[in-house]
Amino acid sequence: MLDLTFIRSELAAHYDLAPDPDLAAKMSPIYAKIDKVVTPFDFATFAPYIAAINALKAERNAAILAHNYMTPEIYHGVADVVGDSLQLAIEATKVQADVIVQCGVHFMAETSKVLNPSKIVLIPDMDAGCSLAESITQAGIAEMRARYPGAPVVSYVNTTAEVKAASDICCTSSNAAQIVAGLPDETVIMTPDKYLAQNVAKLVPHKNIVWWDGSCIVHEQYTAEDLREFRSWNPGTRIIAHPECPPDVVAESDFSGSTAGIIAYVEKEQPEKAMLVTECSMASNIAEANPAVDFVGPCNMCPYMKKITLEKILWSLHSMETPVEVDAAVAEGARQAVQRMIDLSQKLAA
Ligand code: 13P
Ligand code: SF4
């Protein structure tokens, strides 16, 4: 666990991190992207961190890859690339900088390292895990293979490199149905998200999909009854759910897609009112670009994603902590599973 007292004293010795309204005023193009969701007072506290991170990024020749669930000050203030898991994996292969700072959870940093092993990949907090990635090990994959002999294993990218290496191919929430449909086999094992698997099973009814019993602690909290109740109070609201939600929640929604799919849907459809049935930062990050859309309803916070803060990103670049390492043989197996996914999804999209 990070020693924040030590980190704060070290950072204070090297940077002027006091809230600075004048510096904040100079960063008005950044603030203009988040002024609906961040107060001027808070932005004055973020500004010195944003300035220090962006200066260090240039000094270290680093690129920041940030997931769509990062907070707005990270997403709009310091990220070089933002996206869903698939976009970040593809972008990781293209990074020219020497250092990648992965602002997301650990499996995402591992994926970047596996796909671009010559880079130093840093994660600002090693404890940024994922309930799905923690729900299965290689032994779980072996158990599923023994139960369904000959069936290919499609593992969600929300898994460790060891699990990816033990799988035949990966998928993300944006390509899961296409990957499963694109395989020649009738029975397909999907791990570790039972809800993603059940949602895919509805989209690919001619396949016999079997699944591991994992779930996302953020998306499993939503219920179809809550959505029905919300809709009855707020008629006309477009409900948009991530496919890690239970199938009855997805059935209750107007659209389901990956985080990038959700953003694209909102941008295209411009609904008057939208409820994003996913992590809270999603609506905050796209509020400014979609001024005609009123984002309504409850959201759930991912405690793992929220471990990544501006302070920890600055520390990461300052100290070059913590590099993500993956055993070479495991990395090669994982790389093949992720590369098969990228190749198949690009082929199917062509
Ligand atoms: P996306 O690939 O849709 O961004 O999902 C990643 C994730 O962890 C969602 O909970
Ligand atoms: Fe994992 Fe769920 Fe958090 Fe995504 S939202 S990182 S799936 S725990």
Side-chain angles (χ1 to χ4, degrees), residues 69 105 130-132 158 216-219 244 302 304-305:
Y69 290 164
V105 292
C130 168
S131 65
L132 282 169
N158 296 39
C216 161
I217 54 165
V218 176
H219 293 95
E244 288 170 14
C302 173
Y304 304 107
M305 290 278 184

Side-chain angles (χ1 to χ4, degrees), residues 82-328:
V82 294
D84 68 2
S85 307
L86 180 63
Q87 290 169 326
L88 293 180
I90 292 170
E91 290 302 321
T93 64
K94 301 179 189 162
V95 169
Q96 298 290 328
D98 299 323
V99 180
I100 294 173
V101 183
Q102 193 84 31
C103 293
V105 292
H106 187 264
F107 75 79
M108 295 177 176
E110 261 192 351
T111 303
S112 291
K113 182 68 184 173
V114 156
L115 293 176
N116 208 339
S118 67
K119 307 294 171 189
I120 297 171
V121 178
L122 303 175
I123 183 149
D125 189 333
M126 269 289 185
D127 292 333
C130 168
S131 65
L132 282 169
E134 284 154 23
S135 73
I136 189 162
T137 61
Q138 274 184 325
I141 301 287
E143 191 185 314
M144 293 301 276
R145 285 198 194 277
R147 225 185 289 168
Y148 303 99
V153 174
V154 180
S155 282
Y156 197 26
V157 280
N158 296 39
T159 44
T160 61
E162 277 96 351
V163 166
K164 288 184 179 76
S167 308
D168 296 290
I169 187 166
C170 287
C171 73
T172 71
S173 55
S174 68
N175 62 20
Q178 292 94 313
I179 296 284
V180 168
L183 294 172
D185 315 76
E186 198 200 322
T187 297
V188 176
I189 299 166
M190 287 189 75
T191 76
D193 188 348
K194 64 179 171 189
Y195 293 137
L196 180 70
Q198 289 162 14
N199 287 318
V200 168
K202 283 188 163 184
L203 297 171
V204 192
H206 57 288
K207 298 270 182 185
N208 172 34
I209 297 174
V210 294
W211 52 78
W212 185 253
D213 190 25
S215 56
C216 161
I217 54 165
V218 176
H219 293 95
E220 70 181 354
Q221 290 178 45
Y222 292 101
T223 69
E225 200 186 330
D226 289 345
L227 296 197
R228 275 194 293 274
E229 206 174 319
F230 185 82
R231 217 194 265 281
S232 74
W233 297 335
N234 301 276
T237 301
R238 210 76 70 85
I239 297 185
I240 305 162
H242 195 278
E244 288 170 14
C245 293
D248 58 343
V249 168
V250 170
E252 205 58 50
S253 66
D254 299 293
F255 175 78
S256 175
S258 75
T259 56
I262 291 172
I263 294 172
Y265 178 86
V266 170
E267 282 175 351
K268 180 164 176 277
E269 294 283 317
Q270 293 290 300
E272 211 174 295
K273 285 185 279 177
M275 176 184 173
L276 306 191
V277 187
T278 186
E279 216 272 350
C280 296
S281 288
M282 279 283 290
S284 307
N285 288 336
I286 61 171
E288 193 69 44
N290 297 280
V293 182
D294 187 10
F295 292 95
V296 295
C299 59
N300 290 326
M301 207 106 88
C302 173
Y304 304 107
M305 290 278 184
K306 263 46 211 184
K307 285 195 178 289
I308 308 300
T309 61
L310 284 177
E311 183 179 56
K312 292 179 191 170
I313 298 168
L314 178 57
W315 174 248
S316 184
L317 277 165
H318 174 83
S319 63
M320 297 299 282
E321 295 285 345
T322 303
V324 173
E325 301 297 346
V326 185
D327 168 85

Side-chain angles (χ1 to χ4, degrees), residues 29-45:
I30 295 177
Y31 190 53
K33 294 181 190 158
I34 57 179
D35 61 0
K36 278 189 162 66
V37 288
V38 173
T39 65
F41 177 82
D42 284 339
F43 191 62
T45 68

